[in-house]
Amino acid sequence: DRDGEIYIARFPEMTNRVRISVEGGRFPRWSQDGSELFYTSKDNWMTSVPLEHQGNLIKPGQATRLFKRSPFGPYFEVLEDGFLLRQYEPSIRGKEFHIVGDWFGELSRIAPPEAP
């Protein structure tokens, strides 16, 4: 929105417009099941707003600040079991990154704990 806030509305009619952000927001993302909307606040906090579906209407709940983000870019996606958060400095754009599943298991495999 032009005033820096996040709204949701029925599409394509653009009716039932509801304000979601409290003091500005950007980079909105839906949760996988549509029960929450995540966005970055103007002061770079990842914020979550639960959404209550009431027929054709959606009622936003209380916004919760989750964690402070880097001010560089909207590089996150909301996954079924959490976030994929990719933050980086502008000077390293275009570099590779790797996702490691079972990170603790992989760490134990390559650097096993020492016996007492």
Side-chain angles (χ1 to χ4, degrees), residues 51-81:
L51 303 172
E52 182 181 330
H53 297 264
Q54 300 174 341
N56 289 334
L57 300 176
I58 295 179
K59 181 180 175 186
Q62 180 68 39
T64 302
R65 289 178 158 204
L66 302 175
F67 52 88
K68 187 87 169 177
R69 291 192 55 212
S70 163
F72 300 109
Y75 309 105
F76 74 93
E77 293 301 326
V78 181
L79 305 177
E80 188 173 334
D81 59 350

Side-chain angles (χ1 to χ4, degrees), residues 31-53:
S31 66
Q32 296 271 329
D33 64 2
S35 66
E36 289 180 273
L37 192 71
F38 298 91
Y39 65 90
T40 301
S41 66
K42 284 187 178 179
D43 58 354
N44 293 314
W45 278 88
M46 177 63 71
T47 305
S48 168
V49 176
L51 303 172
E52 182 181 330
H53 297 264

Side-chain angles (χ1 to χ4, degrees), residues 1-40:
D1 190 73
R2 285 187 206 150
D3 61 0
E5 299 295 347
I6 295 174
Y7 294 85
I8 56 174
R10 186 170 176 81
F11 185 82
E13 303 89 5
M14 300 309 288
T15 57
N16 300 334
R17 185 176 168 190
V18 177
R19 184 173 168 177
I20 301 297
S21 57
V22 178
E23 294 179 4
R26 53 200 168 152
F27 315 128
R29 301 283 191 278
W30 290 99
S31 66
Q32 296 271 329
D33 64 2
S35 66
E36 289 180 273
L37 192 71
F38 298 91
Y39 65 90
T40 301

